[in-house]
Amino acid sequence: MRSLVAEATEGVRLYGDTHVLWCREPDELRPARPGSFVMAYVGEGHDPLLGRPMSIHRRREGPAGAEFALLFDVVGRGTAWLAGREPGDPVRLVGPLGRAFDPRPQVQRMLLVGGGIGCAPLVWLADELVAEGREVTLVLGGRTEAQIFPASQLPPAVELVVTTEDGSLGETGRVTAPFERLLGWCDQAFACGPEPMFEALNGILRRSTLRTPVQALLEAQMACGVGICYSCAVFPRRGGVKLVCTDGPMFDLRDLYQ
C-alpha cells in the first residue's frame, strides 16, 4: 500500500448517474483482488482534504498496458470531479487497501448479490470467476432501471437476475427474494450494498437451515482508509470492534449481525 498517481485513460457516463473512470494501472496496484479498494483524492489541491473510498471495479488491457476502473455515482463535488477527468489527467490514490473477497477453491456455483453501486466490485469478481470456469449468477437491485448495471457489459456466461423497486426492469421488489430462492443452489455467495440490504440478507440466513458461506463487502465512510481514524468502526455480534478499512471490507455476513 502506498500513495500513487494514476493517469486517466477514459471516462464515460455508463448509465443513470453512474460513471466509469479507467486509468493506467500502476505496478503497485497489481496485488489488488476483487473487493480491494483505494482512497481516491479529488481536486487540484487539498480541498476536499479527505479521500473517497472506492472499490476497484474492473481490469482490462489497454493500448499502453494494464488499466483499472472505478465505478461511482455522481453525488457531490468529489465524484463530479472524478467524472470530469480527461485522458491524461492525474488521479491521486492510496492503495490497494482492505481484505478482498475470498472465493473457495473447488466449488462451482457462485451467487453474487449487489444493491445499487454495490455492483462495482462484483463485476470484477464475476469476470474472474467466469474466467476460472465457474457458474455465476449475479443478482442486481435498484430503485429504478436507471440504477442497474447494463447486462451488455457483463460476460455472456453470467446469468443476470434484476430486481427494481418500481418494477421498471426485471422482478418487482428487492434482491432478498432471488437471494432466498437461489441460496440453496449456490456453493458460496458474495454481497455488496447498503447496510439495510445486509440486515435483510442476514434475516434470511437466520431463518434458513442452509450453511452456505456468504461474504459481505461493507460500504463505509472513511477519513483515512488505513486504520488510524476509526471512522469506519463496526461492532460484530461476537463483541469487540472491527475496522472496515483494515479488518474488512470483506466480512462473513453471519459474523456481523445477531
Side-chain angles (χ1 to χ4, degrees), residues 112 137-141 159-163 170-171 175 178 181-182:
L112 284 53
T137 296
L138 174 61
V139 179
L140 296 180
E159 180 182 353
L160 178 62
V161 178
V162 171
T163 69
E171 302 178 20
V175 295
R181 186 170 70 238
L182 293 165

Side-chain angles (χ1 to χ4, degrees), residues 40-42 45-52 77 92 223:
Y41 291 85
V42 303
H46 297 290
D47 181 26
L49 177 62
L50 302 178
R52 272 65 175 165
R77 61 183 181 131
R92 295 183 296 127

Side-chain angles (χ1 to χ4, degrees), residues 105-239:
Q106 299 179 339
V107 298
Q108 184 67 14
R109 296 174 175 176
M110 313 300 256
L111 176 62
L112 284 53
V113 182
I117 199 62
C119 67
L122 295 175
V123 173
W124 185 17
L125 179 61
D127 289 341
E128 297 279 306
L129 294 174
V130 166
E132 293 169 2
R134 310 209 209 190
E135 297 176 51
V136 177
T137 296
L138 174 61
V139 179
L140 296 180
R143 290 190 299 274
T144 71
E145 181 180 2
Q147 294 183 318
I148 301 298
F149 189 86
S152 61
Q153 299 291 317
L154 295 170
V158 171
E159 180 182 353
L160 178 62
V161 178
V162 171
T163 69
T164 51
E165 294 178 25
D166 66 358
S168 54
L169 184 66
E171 302 178 20
T172 301
R174 298 179 177 176
V175 295
T176 45
F179 174 76
E180 186 167 19
R181 186 170 70 238
L182 293 165
L183 188 61
W185 165 84
C186 70
D187 299 314
Q188 189 175 8
F190 309 84
C192 184
E195 185 171 348
M197 184 191 85
F198 289 133
E199 292 175 345
L201 298 185
N202 181 66
I204 293 169
L205 294 181
R206 289 182 61 191
R207 297 191 299 270
S208 174
T209 59
L210 298 169
R211 300 306 300 168
T212 307
V214 181
Q215 294 182 1
L217 198 74
L218 268 60
E219 300 174 342
Q221 293 186 343
M222 300 177 190
C224 72
V226 294
I228 297 172
C229 68
Y230 271 62
S231 63
C232 63
V234 294
F235 303 90
R237 67 182 179 88
R238 295 180 180 175

